[in-house]
Amino acid sequence: MAVGMSGPRARAEAVVRPAEVPDGDTAAGIGSGGQALDPDDLPDGLVVADETGRIICFNSAAARITAVPRAAALGRPLEHALPLEDLKGRRWWELTDPYGGLATRVGQPERNLLLPGGREVLVSARYVRESPTGPVRRLVVSLRGTEARRRNERSDAELIATVAHELRSPLTSVKGFTATLLAKWERFTDDQKRLMLETVYADANRVTRLITELLDISRIDSGRLELRRQPVDLSAAVERHVQALTAAGQDPARFLVRTCQPLPVVWADPDKVDQVLGNLLENAVRHGEGTVTIEVAPAPAKSDEKGTAVTVSDEGPGIPEESMARVFTRFWRGSKRGGTGLGLYIVKGIVEAHGGTITVGRGPGGGAEFRFILPVSTPAYMK
């Protein structure tokens, strides 16, 4: 990557002083084949210092991130324009000594540093040398704000707090009932023992579900969600879930299933598909009202590939328009009727891992309507 002055833009004069750029070097634009990229087009902060340590490039992102005006930085020594310190209060430029340190070093990895006033920035550096062990000819510094990292840290803290809260209640119940049974087994009737053991069993299942959700989130966030694809009959899967809900006490008349045949054969992970359907139907039953309608029909998927669409809608109050953009984020809860707020986040991750899409809107009955499409994804050896 070359950094330098290229292109007819007049404002490049404000980014790099031509007199300070050696012949053949490019310091105001980054590109190839004569097509230069203005440093101000970069999303991250870019600061370039010459062989003397004076700043010759300071893009607009760098000015925004550091709150240092470009005019106050250009031409000044790097350590004066950006007096960075590490978290222990040590001067970073003195500590790293880019111009006088080991000649074999090629840069500095990204780290969190502080500007005067406590402003945090993420800084990494690259040393550009004419030869592998020659003197530093250019020092290229990349700057990023810490907002994204802080959002991730807050999200992780919220996840830990949610997990701790959700685990505490069932584990307390399990511990209390088992301790009582162990201490006073003979004093309880068989019906009382059965009720306590059923409660322990239900709470243990709740803990298992939460741990499964956490593992799914970890795999989705890291891109390691494994899919074991095989032919899946989505219509049969929907019927199976509806039968399970009615067997658990739901009124069969509350469910209306519509299937448009013929359906293409979808290759998907049946366990993951069951997880998606179970979550959407449970949400419709728990948070919605009236009839829950499930429609299964052929639909185009991405890149005009055939697929199957499943739509789940209810007749409840629905989701407010201002909340629809947050439905598939972590910890979103549509009501106060329990839940971790992680289910729909996982549903979206599973559907997208299959190459599908999922949307939310308002159904014909006024309630929430979730629609996901899974592509056929026929294996290459069968085409």
Side-chain angles (χ1 to χ4, degrees):
M1 178 177 73
V3 182
M5 179 101 175
S6 177
R9 296 193 181 185
R11 63 192 184 92
E13 295 261 344
V15 179
V16 181
R17 296 178 180 178
E20 296 178 345
V21 182
D23 293 339
D25 200 20
T26 55
I30 303 171
S32 59
Q35 192 70 23
L37 173 66
D38 192 323
D40 286 345
D41 294 336
L42 297 174
D44 294 334
L46 175 66
V47 180
V48 181
D50 62 12
E51 66 274 8
T52 68
R54 293 184 177 275
I55 296 175
I56 59 173
C57 176
F58 198 83
N59 72 349
S60 58
R64 171 179 53 80
I65 293 169
T66 62
V68 176
R70 176 182 292 171
L74 287 173
R76 294 186 63 195
L78 189 61
E79 65 271 17
H80 294 162
L82 294 178
L84 296 164
E85 296 182 353
D86 65 14
L87 300 182
K88 295 182 180 180
R90 296 175 296 186
R91 299 270 184 172
W92 195 59
W93 299 116
E94 294 178 5
L95 195 67
T96 57
D97 192 13
Y99 292 94
L102 292 174
T104 56
R105 291 187 304 175
V106 296
Q108 292 291 331
E110 186 176 75
R111 63 191 63 195
N112 195 4
L113 299 175
L114 300 175
L115 285 167
R119 191 181 187 89
E120 296 184 28
V121 288
L122 298 173
V123 183
S124 59
R126 173 76 176 175
Y127 304 160
V128 180
R129 305 176 186 272
E130 290 183 343
S131 61
T133 58
V136 174
R137 187 160 169 260
R138 287 284 182 273
L139 179 62
V140 182
V141 181
S142 175
L143 304 173
R144 293 197 301 127
T146 58
E147 295 82 4
R149 176 175 291 187
R150 291 191 180 201
R151 284 195 298 269
N152 289 336
E153 290 174 351
R154 283 196 298 269
S155 180
D156 291 341
E158 289 176 0
L159 181 60
I160 292 172
T162 299
V163 170
H165 175 75
E166 294 292 330
L167 285 175
R168 180 180 299 172
S169 177
L171 289 178
T172 300
S173 172
V174 169
K175 183 177 179 181
F177 278 121
T178 52
T180 301
L181 287 171
L182 288 171
K184 303 176 181 180
W185 180 266
E186 298 83 4
R187 300 186 186 182
F188 296 107
T189 65
D190 288 345
D191 288 341
Q192 289 173 324
K193 293 175 184 176
R194 183 178 182 83
L195 177 61
M196 285 193 241
L197 289 174
E198 287 175 347
T199 304
V200 169
Y201 180 74
D203 286 335
N205 280 338
R206 182 177 165 189
V207 172
T208 301
R209 284 196 303 271
L210 179 60
I211 293 173
T212 301
E213 286 183 344
L214 293 175
L215 291 173
D216 286 337
I217 286 176
S218 174
R219 295 182 183 119
I220 289 170
D221 288 347
S222 62
R224 294 185 294 106
L225 188 67
E226 294 182 1
L227 301 177
R228 295 176 174 85
R229 295 180 185 267
Q230 61 187 66
V232 174
D233 186 339
L234 285 173
S235 178
V238 169
E239 292 286 358
R240 188 171 61 250
H241 279 274
V242 171
Q243 290 172 6
L245 288 169
T246 55
Q250 293 293 328
D251 183 0
R254 189 176 181 190
F255 300 96
L256 175 61
V257 179
R258 296 173 180 162
T259 303
C260 182
Q261 298 286 359
L263 294 173
V265 177
V266 172
W267 284 74
D269 188 319
D271 293 333
K272 297 293 189 292
V273 170
D274 280 341
Q275 194 172 349
V276 171
L277 290 173
N279 193 291
L280 294 180
L281 289 173
E282 183 181 348
N283 276 351
V285 169
R286 178 185 295 179
H287 305 295
E289 298 173 3
T291 301
V292 176
T293 303
I294 308 103
E295 296 182 353
V296 186
K302 289 182 178 178
S303 303
D304 296 328
E305 182 183 12
K306 292 181 179 179
T308 298
V310 179
T311 306
V312 179
S313 59
D314 60 74
E315 298 175 340
I319 300 170
E321 291 289 338
E322 63 273 12
S323 298
M324 286 189 180
R326 298 184 288 109
V327 165
F328 297 109
T329 60
R330 288 185 185 182
F331 312 117
W332 183 85
R333 293 179 177 89
S335 69
K336 298 180 180 179
R337 301 180 188 177
T340 61
L342 301 174
L344 291 175
Y345 178 81
I346 295 172
V347 163
K348 183 173 185 288
I350 291 174
V351 171
E352 291 182 346
H354 280 84
T357 59
I358 184 167
T359 57
V360 62
R362 189 169 296 280
E369 179 181 275
F370 289 89
R371 185 173 190 261
F372 70 90
I373 300 176
L374 295 182
V376 171
S377 299
T378 306
Y381 67 85
M382 294 186 64
K383 296 179 180 179

